[in-house]
Amino acid sequence: MEDVKLEFPSLPQCKDDAEEWTYPMRREMQEVLPGLFLGPYSSAMKSKLPILQKHGITHIICIRQNIEANFIKPNFQQLFRYLVLDIADNPVENIIRFFPMTKEFIDGSLQNGGK
């Protein structure tokens, strides 16, 4: 059988001035790769608009369960482009099916200078 080698693109280098992560930071968005931020829903709440704008955020992925749709929703549809994913929080949810559309959304943002 022939050996198959998978090739993955190399990740960008971390910033030299990157702040060391601490547990209280879990409530804030973090830049995990250049232009790619990760954080809880509270990072994109109405009160956080100045922080989102300060960091130049242009795109937001909102992940929620179906039952949360009435209170977890895009807050700034006129300012940001959103991808909203309704994903059950349980061990049998097939989240892999969301990977292609999520990757396309992120790639599209980064290729156009978004964050």
Side-chain angles (χ1 to χ4, degrees), residues 44-102:
M45 292 174 53
K46 290 180 181 177
S47 64
K48 303 292 184 172
L49 179 59
I51 295 169
L52 295 168
Q53 291 175 320
K54 174 185 158 200
H55 289 288
I57 302 300
T58 57
H59 292 65
I60 296 175
I61 299 173
C62 177
I63 302 172
R64 64 187 182 193
Q65 297 189 74
N66 283 335
I67 60 171
E68 298 171 321
N70 289 330
F71 56 93
I72 294 182
K73 52 182 111 183
N75 289 313
F76 312 105
Q77 289 184 312
Q78 70 282 8
L79 299 175
F80 306 110
R81 182 158 178 235
Y82 283 88
L83 172 62
V84 179
L85 303 173
D86 292 322
I87 302 176
D89 187 9
N90 68 56
V92 297
E93 178 70 53
N94 177 14
I95 65 169
I96 292 173
R97 64 191 171 110
F98 296 100
F99 290 7
M101 76 175 78
T102 304

Side-chain angles (χ1 to χ4, degrees), residues 11-15 29-39 52 55-61 102-103 105-115:
L11 294 174
Q13 294 295 316
C14 292
K15 295 178 181 176
M29 67 178 182
Q30 308 294 314
E31 190 169 16
V32 295
L33 293 171
L36 182 63
F37 291 76
L38 178 66
L52 295 168
H55 289 288
I57 302 300
T58 57
H59 292 65
I60 296 175
I61 299 173
T102 304
K103 181 184 182 313
F105 185 81
I106 293 169
D107 288 347
S109 168
L110 295 175
Q111 288 169 358
N112 290 303
K115 292 184 178 182

